[in-house]
Structures are given as C-alpha cells and as structure tokens.
Amino acid sequence: MSVLESRAPRTTRLPLTLVRAGDAPHRAGKAVDARIHCSVCNLREVCLPGGLPGAEQALFDGLVYTRKRVKRGESLYRVGTAFDSLHAVRSGFFKSRMVLADGRDQVTGFHMAGEVLGMDGICTEFHTTDIVALEDSEVCVIPYARLAEPGLQRQLQKVMSRELVRDQGVMMLLGTMRAEERLAAFLLNLSQRFVARGYAPDEFHLRMTRDEIGSYLGLSLETVSRLFSRFHDGGLIAVQQKHIRILDIPALKAVLGREAN
Amino acid sequence: MSVLESRAPRTTRLPLTLVRAGDAPHRAGKAVDARIHCSVCNLREVCLPGGLPGAEQALFDGLVYTRKRVKRGESLYRVGTAFDSLHAVRSGFFKSRMVLADGRDQVTGFHMAGEVLGMDGICTEFHTTDIVALEDSEVCVIPYARLAEPGLQRQLQKVMSRELVRDQGVMMLLGTMRAEERLAAFLLNLSQRFVARGYAPDEFHLRMTRDEIGSYLGLSLETVSRLFSRFHDGGLIAVQQKHIRILDIPALKAVLGREAN
DNA sequence: CGTACCTTTGATAGAGTTCAAGAACGGTGG
DNA sequence: CCACCGTTCTTGAACTCTATCAAAGGTACG
C-alpha cells in the first residue's frame, strides 16, 4: 500500500493553484480590467512591491495595465525575442530554459506566483531564455520603460539582487552537492516558497516532470526518480507521482550538511 | 622540453596587470586623488558606465570619491558584512566565494578590472559572499545611496542583468557540461574577457590555483590538472604552471559542442 | 478508452573523485 | 646568490557515484 492514503485530496486541494480565497476572480474570456492595482493584490508581498511600506506600494498601481494568459506548454517568450517588459507571475507555474549550441538544454529555474521574470533581457534588450508555462497561467505585464520612478527602480534592483543570490545558491548546489543533497535542497526550497505564499510547507503537487527536475539539478531523470523512491522508503517524504508530502523536514535538512556519508 | 620556451616573457609581460600605458599612475602610499572621473578612466567601457554615450558617462564622475587597496589574500568584504557600496575593480584580480553550512566552499566567480562587485548585497543590505584578492588589487568604491539618478540606476540594472545572464551560463556549464567542456569554456571565457580589455586573447597568467578553478567548475583539482595536461598534449594550449597560451582557439571551441564525442 | 508520455526499477558502464606520492615552483632568509 | 620549506601541481591506481541502456508499469490527456 502506498504511503499516500486515498486519492481524494489530490483533486480537492491543489496548493499550486495560487489564487486564494478572497481573490477577485477573473472573468475568463473577458478582457482583463484595465485598472490593476498592485497595492490590493494578495501577492504584493511576494512580488515586485514586496517589503515596501503600503504608501510606496501604491507607486506600482499605475504600472500594470495588461495581463496575459499563457496556456500549459506555451511559452511566454523565447530566446532572442525583443525585451520590453518584465512579467510577474499572477497564477500558474513556469520553467525557464536555456539551449546550448549543440541542442542540449537545461532548465534554469521554476517560477511560481509573485516571481518576476525577464530581467535577463535588460542588458541586451533580448531575452536569453525561454519561459514555458507548466500549467495554464497568467502574468502581469510590467513595461520596463514605465519603471522610471527612482523608488521603483530601487525596488527592481532589490528583486534582481535577490535573483543573483538565488543563482549563487544554485551554483553551490550544482557545484558542490551530491545528488541526494540536491534533491533535498530542491524540495526544501519549494517548501519554503509555498510557505511564503501562505500554503502548507509539507504537501504539494509538482508541476514539472522528473526530467525537468533532473535537468534543473544537473541529474538524469532516472536518478531523480530513484532518489524520490529512496526518500520515500526512508520515510522522509511520501511520493506518488507528482504528489509530494514531506514527512520529516528536519531529516531532509539533515541530508544537506552531511557531506560524505 | 616544455612547450613554453624560455621563462623571460613571464616577468616582462603580465597581461593580468590591467593598468595600461597611458594610465595616470597612482602615487603608492599617498592618499588617492579625491576627484576620480569615470569619464576619463580607461576602463570605462568595460565598467559600470560601459556603453553609455560620453555625455552620460560624465554622470558617473561625481560618484567615486574613494579607492581602496586590497592585498593579495585579503578580502574586500565578507559574508554577513553590511552592504553600502558597490565596488568596481580598478586593477588586480578577485575571486568570490560562498561557504556552505558544513564548511564546504565554492568559488562562485573570478573578477577582473572593470567588473562590478557587491550587487548581491542590495536585496538584504548584507553581503552573501566573500570577495578575496588573488593579487594586490585596487577597487573604486561606489556608494549605493549615491546612485540615485534614474540614468545611473538604469545602467546599474544593465550591469546586474548582465550578471544574471552570466550566472545562467555558469548554471549551464555546471549542469550540462562534461569536465573537458567546462575547462574549455572557462579558458575561452577568460580569453574573451582579456580581449575586451585590450589584451591578447591567447596568452595569460592564471591568478588562481587549480583548486580554485576546480571549485568554480565543480571539479576536483586533480581533474583540472589532468585536463590541462590533456589539452597541452593535444596541442590545444601550452601550459606551464599558471602560464597559459592558447594555441588553437577553434579546436577549443570544438571541445564545446561535441556532446558525447 | 486508447495511446503517448511519464515514471520506476534493474543492470552495466564510464566519468570523475579520492587517496597517495613525488615533482616543480616561489618566496624567504642566511 | 643559493638552499630550504611550504604550497601548488602532476600523475597513477582504485573506487564510487551517477549516467546510460533497457524494459515494464502507470497516468493522464485527448
């Protein structure tokens, strides 16, 4: 018998659907309301205005006047596309991907609600990655040219800086960690990000395949699958396909930090 | 007999000493001139003002009023130190380093003249890396608070964006490339950066040890050493300790791109 | 409801690490 | 100027982790 009991909770609770109760629902198929106010968005604290005092958050209110839906499997933008806007994930889930000259590709990130995409395009005004939706998603379009206010620019720099720090973490992961540690770090990171968005830290639905996880972590999909099984058998997590329940967060943390053996 | 002929050139030509003829020399031991003008600095095109039209480069002129010397082995700043300034490398060579909880560390970058350091500190106002000088060096201190002008902020964002793109490249390297490809990519990258600074693309002196290269590339120092030997024997480069001469750039490029042989 | 994709698991192989020892280098002080 | 010492580099041998190849089982989507 699987560690995950029944299948019922899977359909009734989808932590990755990040529009919560209290959210103004979108009228699907209808043009999005032209007046979109960051200051009343429930994602504001994990998104671009995050951390600013309420008064300053209002500076963002005039900024976003378009939202864009991206269906599962479609891309928000591609390598070489002209850059003119940043995008904030409103709902859904994305991956970013780079392709090497010889065709090998790598997933360079997974992106959930509130995260800002496209900052790689600022330097050359062309995007350097593909962004692909892993489920039906929606983004807020933030025209870069309208981010003129020094306060807004400062805030953007903070977000970019956070991204630089995040990248350093990925470099550590890819450069120094063994497979087991990488997957543990990955799961803990996802968990943290769910918590920051008001979700349970210990149960979620992966939107990406083993292949995509492996690509991101510099591992083969088989290794990822084997590690999930090993963590499952060790009682650290309960896995059933894309359903993950973390049973022992301290033990997962202990996987990091214990170098050889 | 070694592929590198005599030892004489080693002392007469040090490409990594990046203050070129025509540079106003510093009076060692004396206080640095309080008026430091980016617009007349020979590094301006590879540094923060790079790419801006001359008139706008002058905006940076009032910005830097301090320089700071850092001796070989000393650190410019450390993890956890308060952030208040960015630093631009004026001369010398640095590495950045992160340390994991269990003590394992990784080199996350090498930094040469014109490169801007410290942007990781913007988001939390604390640094997340150590920066260590690999030779006696000097940096320009750029107080972050004085980067208020929107034009300057835009320029900083470009530099940060470039850094994000660079990090993506490192992630590709660590995530998808085999050892041989990593080292080839590393050498070609160094070569390019020297060219951008007016130096020969094919001959340079490494400032870092095999251990540091390995750490950066996610390899052991032994593997790095073996690869240098292999490239040497294959006629791609001439190595003698830290002296590198690239003999066959196209062949090095071909090492990238040929996946599994 | 069928098919294509995704996942799991086993067996084998290979790339790179680790351990170890000797060689070369470079800075220091006599 | 030379000898010495610590550090860095090179090279070999054995081992280990992870990739690759292969095949069966499960899921989900159209």
Side-chain angles (χ1 to χ4, degrees):
Chain A
M1 179 190 145
S2 161
V3 181
L4 283 172
E5 59 299 322
S6 83
R7 193 162 305 147
R10 189 178 310 182
T11 47
T12 54
R13 185 145 176 278
L14 292 173
L16 276 177
T17 302
L18 286 168
V19 177
R20 293 180 291 188
D23 240 22
H26 292 303
R27 278 86 60 212
K30 206 187 154 196
V32 181
D33 190 337
R35 300 171 314 143
I36 296 164
H37 290 322
C38 289
S39 62
V40 298
C41 175
N42 62 341
L43 289 168
R44 63 185 180 279
E45 280 304 327
V46 292
C47 194
L48 194 53
L52 283 179
E56 293 186 41
Q57 285 183 348
L59 283 174
F60 286 90
D61 280 353
L63 213 58
V64 175
Y65 56 90
T66 320
R67 283 188 183 154
K68 197 167 159 183
R69 289 172 187 280
V70 187
K71 288 213 169 139
R72 178 193 164 126
E74 290 179 354
S75 56
L76 174 59
Y77 55 77
R78 292 179 171 280
V79 173
T81 307
F83 160 86
D84 60 359
S85 298
L86 300 170
H87 300 274
V89 180
R90 170 69 188 156
S91 69
F93 206 90
F94 292 86
K95 69 172 176 183
S96 47
R97 176 181 57 189
M98 275 189 94
V99 184
L100 234 45
D102 60 8
R104 279 178 292 179
D105 69 333
Q106 185 178 12
V107 172
T108 55
F110 296 109
H111 311 285
M112 54 178 78
E115 293 177 358
V116 179
L117 304 174
M119 297 171 297
D120 57 88
I122 294 173
C123 59
T124 58
E125 307 201 350
F126 289 94
H127 289 292
T128 59
T129 55
D130 295 333
I131 302 287
V132 179
L134 297 182
E135 61 180 354
D136 292 355
S137 303
E138 191 176 26
V139 296
C140 297
V141 179
I142 305 167
Y144 183 60
R146 301 191 59 194
L147 270 174
E149 193 79 29
L152 301 187
Q153 294 206 27
R154 276 276 142 88
Q155 191 64 11
L156 172 60
Q157 283 157 23
K158 279 198 181 175
V159 173
M160 293 181 77
S161 173
R162 205 192 303 151
E163 187 80 2
L164 285 171
V165 173
R166 192 192 70 87
D167 286 355
Q168 285 169 358
V170 177
M171 284 170 61
M172 290 297 287
L173 182 145
L174 293 171
T176 73
M177 291 187 190
R178 291 173 312 112
E180 215 174 37
E181 301 176 293
R182 294 185 196 188
L183 190 65
F186 173 72
L187 291 172
L188 289 168
N189 175 267
L190 277 184
S191 171
Q192 271 181 237
R193 286 153 79 190
F194 285 128
V195 169
R197 284 156 184 78
Y199 292 99
D202 58 349
E203 190 165 11
F204 43 85
H205 194 96
L206 298 173
R207 258 32 226 210
M208 67 296 271
T209 65
R210 303 289 191 262
D211 193 22
E212 288 163 334
I213 297 171
S215 174
Y216 178 63
L217 298 178
L219 302 170
S220 70
L221 70 98
E222 293 95 331
T223 298
V224 173
S225 177
R226 272 185 255 269
L227 287 171
F228 272 131
S229 300
R230 197 190 301 173
F231 285 175
H232 182 109
D233 295 345
L236 302 186
I237 62 176
V239 195
Q240 196 186 32
Q241 299 288 122
K242 294 196 157 107
H243 251 83
I244 301 286
R245 193 144 49 94
I246 302 184
L247 303 174
D248 192 345
I249 291 189
L252 258 192
K253 284 184 179 159
V255 170
L256 299 165
R258 69 150 179 270
E259 192 160 356
N261 168 64
Chain B
M1 180 189 146
S2 162
V3 180
L4 284 172
E5 57 301 319
S6 82
R7 194 163 304 146
R10 188 179 307 182
T11 47
T12 54
R13 184 145 177 277
L14 292 173
L16 275 178
T17 302
L18 285 168
V19 177
R20 294 180 290 188
D23 240 22
H26 292 304
R27 277 84 60 211
K30 205 187 155 197
V32 181
D33 191 337
R35 302 170 313 143
I36 296 164
H37 291 322
C38 289
S39 61
V40 297
C41 175
N42 63 341
L43 289 168
R44 64 185 179 278
E45 280 306 326
V46 291
C47 193
L48 194 53
L52 284 179
E56 292 187 42
Q57 285 184 346
L59 282 173
F60 285 91
D61 280 353
L63 214 58
V64 175
Y65 55 89
T66 320
R67 284 189 182 152
K68 196 166 159 182
R69 290 173 185 279
V70 187
K71 289 214 169 138
R72 178 193 165 126
E74 290 180 354
S75 56
L76 175 58
Y77 56 75
R78 292 179 171 280
V79 173
T81 306
F83 161 85
D84 60 359
S85 297
L86 300 169
H87 299 275
V89 180
R90 170 69 188 155
S91 68
F93 206 89
F94 292 87
K95 70 172 175 183
S96 47
R97 176 182 56 190
M98 275 188 92
V99 183
L100 235 47
D102 60 8
R104 278 178 291 180
D105 69 333
Q106 185 178 11
V107 171
T108 55
F110 296 108
H111 311 286
M112 55 177 80
E115 293 177 359
V116 179
L117 305 174
M119 296 171 297
D120 57 88
I122 294 172
C123 59
T124 57
E125 308 201 350
F126 288 94
H127 289 292
T128 59
T129 56
D130 295 332
I131 302 286
V132 179
L134 296 181
E135 62 181 353
D136 292 355
S137 303
E138 192 176 26
V139 296
C140 296
V141 180
I142 305 167
Y144 183 59
R146 302 191 60 193
L147 269 173
E149 193 79 28
L152 299 188
Q153 295 206 27
R154 276 276 142 88
Q155 190 64 12
L156 173 60
Q157 282 157 23
K158 279 198 181 175
V159 172
M160 293 181 77
S161 173
R162 204 192 304 151
E163 188 79 2
L164 286 170
V165 173
R166 191 192 70 88
D167 286 354
Q168 286 169 357
V170 176
M171 285 169 60
M172 290 296 288
L173 182 144
L174 293 171
T176 72
M177 291 187 190
R178 290 173 312 111
E180 216 174 36
E181 301 175 294
R182 295 185 195 188
L183 190 65
F186 172 72
L187 290 173
L188 289 168
N189 175 268
L190 277 185
S191 170
Q192 272 181 238
R193 286 154 78 190
F194 285 128
V195 169
R197 284 157 184 79
Y199 292 98
D202 58 348
E203 189 166 9
F204 44 85
H205 193 97
L206 298 173
R207 260 27 230 212
M208 67 296 271
T209 65
R210 303 290 190 262
D211 193 22
E212 288 163 335
I213 297 171
S215 173
Y216 179 63
L217 298 177
L219 302 171
S220 69
L221 70 97
E222 293 95 332
T223 299
V224 173
S225 178
R226 273 185 255 269
L227 288 171
F228 271 131
S229 299
R230 197 191 300 172
F231 285 175
H232 183 110
D233 295 345
L236 303 186
I237 61 176
V239 195
Q240 195 186 31
Q241 301 287 124
K242 293 195 157 113
H243 251 84
I244 302 285
R245 194 144 49 94
I246 303 183
L247 303 174
D248 192 345
I249 290 188
L252 259 191
K253 285 186 178 157
V255 170
L256 299 165
R258 68 151 179 268
E259 192 161 356
N261 188 35

